[in-house]
Amino acid sequence: METRSTRRAAVTGAAVLGVLAAVALVVLAVAPGSDRSDRRGLAGLVTGSSGTSAPPGPSADGGPPPTATAEAIRVEGEVPESSAAEPSGNFRTICVASHLAYDDPIVNPGEPGASHLHMFFGNTETDASSTYESLRAAGGSTCQGGILNRTGYWAPAVLDAEGQVVLPEFVSVYYKGTGTAAEVRSVDELPPGLRMIAGYDAATGEGDHFDWYCEVTQDKGPTIPSCPEDELVGVVLPFPPCWDGVNLDSPDHRRHVAQKVRDPHTGTEACPDSHPVHLPELTIGIWYPHEGDSADWHLSSDRPPGEPAYPDGSTFHSDWFGAWDPEVQETWTERCIVGLLNCVGGELGDGTQLGGPEVGLPAGRVPAPPPP
């Protein structure tokens, strides 16, 4: 029987190859002709191949899922292969869904119920009142490594034609450094308290850089596709990697970060003078199972009250509120990214890795919580 692990191995091998190439990212190679069972480059690592016992799944009474213990979240691993020849430095990890709420602690801080419905992953206690300090101090995590990654991640909920929330199979979280070897080695650590939003901007009606995908056929576009039933539906969004070096946020939650700019003479990309600090380049991919009905899905943000509906999936965006364990974040930044290693499954580059599996909401469909 196909499990979450083998399914996400296939996406990481087959789909992510095309997805990340499309956004000019270097990916884990997959041997030509390999089938789904062979594409285990990520799955074996994120499902606890180190031999540690896995924490139990969500509680039977519907309460919050238990979380990994401190002893299980950083385990013995291997030092990954070099990616200096690319050149790049890579750190990839996996999360699953945590909870649903009409909250947004970046756009509507301190205002519970003021947002469209979001699906949260990462910190299990992210809500409208979350701050960097509260995220670091409390909450479990539905990401590989448990409480070592208390970052809050969220995105609009996906709803089917009956209004049920579609929960993803998994979420890939990919931090990396690109450019020349010197540029990769100059990548700075993500500053404590940084928060940012990428994708569609409701204030301006603008948004790009994300694509919806069919897992294997690689059909892509700005709206939710109709995919063959045996393929996952995915959406992939890269965040801006350049920071102004001063502000942890900005009035629109976007201007303190920026995309790289291309030199018309050399074709190379670099951070602009206005945003000179090159941070790890974050890309989020969310992958959903379906029953052949994905063409009937829409995002919670596609249906704003009192406004015409937007094309299904066209308002996709995602929020990131960093709250990594400082020592662990420093380790994967320095060892994996600056050190030009290919840390494909939560390896930290020093012979240890983030333990797994992730504990959270299983893939499937659940009733949408009523608006407040």
Side-chain angles (χ1 to χ4, degrees), residues 44 140 154 189 197 215 265:
W154 59 97
E189 189 175 344
I197 302 175
E215 169 196 355
H265 303 292

Side-chain angles (χ1 to χ4, degrees), residues 15-370:
V16 173
L17 181 62
V19 169
L20 297 183
V23 294
L25 297 175
V26 182
V27 296
L28 182 66
V30 177
S34 61
D35 62 22
R36 176 168 296 174
S37 63
D38 294 330
R39 296 165 180 162
R40 304 188 62 86
L42 180 60
L45 293 172
V46 301
T47 54
S49 62
S50 58
T52 58
S53 59
S59 61
D61 62 2
T67 57
T69 63
E71 291 76 22
I73 55 184
R74 187 169 179 175
V75 298
E76 184 177 353
E78 297 180 355
V79 176
E81 296 180 355
S82 171
S83 56
E86 297 179 3
S88 69
N90 314 304
F91 174 69
R92 304 176 179 91
T93 185
I94 291 290
C95 305
V96 295
S98 168
H99 59 284
L100 300 162
Y102 294 88
D103 289 354
D104 190 326
I106 294 179
V107 176
N108 303 110
E111 299 180 39
S115 176
H116 49 255
L117 183 62
H118 281 118
M119 178 198 72
F120 290 82
F121 50 105
N123 196 307
T124 58
E125 295 187 13
T126 308
D127 61 20
S129 300
S130 292
T131 64
Y132 172 73
E133 291 74 19
S134 72
L135 292 172
R136 285 287 308 123
S141 177
T142 61
C143 294
Q144 184 184 6
I147 60 173
L148 294 179
N149 183 7
R150 279 178 163 149
T151 296
Y153 309 83
W154 59 97
V158 171
L159 302 166
D160 66 15
E162 285 71 46
Q164 295 247 94
V165 175
V166 184
L167 294 174
E169 188 96 348
F170 67 94
V171 183
S172 61
V173 180
Y174 183 12
Y175 300 89
K176 74 177 302 179
T178 59
T180 66
E183 288 170 338
V184 177
R185 292 192 179 100
S186 70
V187 168
D188 281 87
E189 189 175 344
L190 290 156
L194 181 70
R195 44 209 182 272
M196 53 184 172
I197 302 175
Y200 179 79
D201 185 352
T204 64
E206 298 176 356
D208 54 9
H209 298 291
F210 69 86
D211 282 298
W212 289 90
Y213 281 85
C214 294
E215 169 196 355
V216 177
T217 60
Q218 291 295 289
D219 294 337
K220 69 174 184 176
T223 57
I224 300 173
S226 177
C227 298
E229 191 171 344
D230 60 347
E231 296 186 25
L232 295 179
V233 174
V235 59
V236 176
L237 170 67
F239 280 66
C242 303
W243 178 44
D244 65 13
V246 177
N247 299 293
L248 299 176
D249 199 358
S250 52
D252 65 353
H253 316 294
R254 298 169 184 262
R255 294 179 187 174
H256 58 303
V257 291
Q259 298 288 351
K260 289 182 174 180
V261 294
R262 184 179 298 275
D263 186 316
H265 303 292
T266 65
T268 59
E269 293 185 333
C271 287
D273 292 341
S274 60
H275 295 74
V277 182
H278 185 187
L279 299 176
E281 302 170 24
L282 167 64
T283 298
I284 288 175
I286 308 178
W287 296 92
Y288 301 87
H290 65 103
E291 300 167 358
D293 62 343
S294 60
D296 298 324
W297 293 356
H298 67 275
L299 296 171
S300 58
S301 53
D302 292 336
R303 305 288 188 271
E307 297 182 29
Y310 290 89
D312 296 341
S314 63
T315 64
F316 183 78
H317 54 281
S318 185
D319 301 52
W320 181 91
F321 203 144
W324 277 91
D325 175 274
E327 179 185 350
V328 168
Q329 178 176 277
E330 179 182 10
T331 301
W332 61 252
T333 302
E334 293 301 318
R335 298 279 186 156
C336 297
I337 295 181
V338 177
L340 296 166
L341 297 180
N342 195 29
C343 302
V344 299
E347 304 105 317
L348 299 175
D350 63 349
T352 66
Q353 68 182 67
L354 300 177
E358 316 73 44
V359 181
L361 300 176
R365 307 199 186 185
V366 298

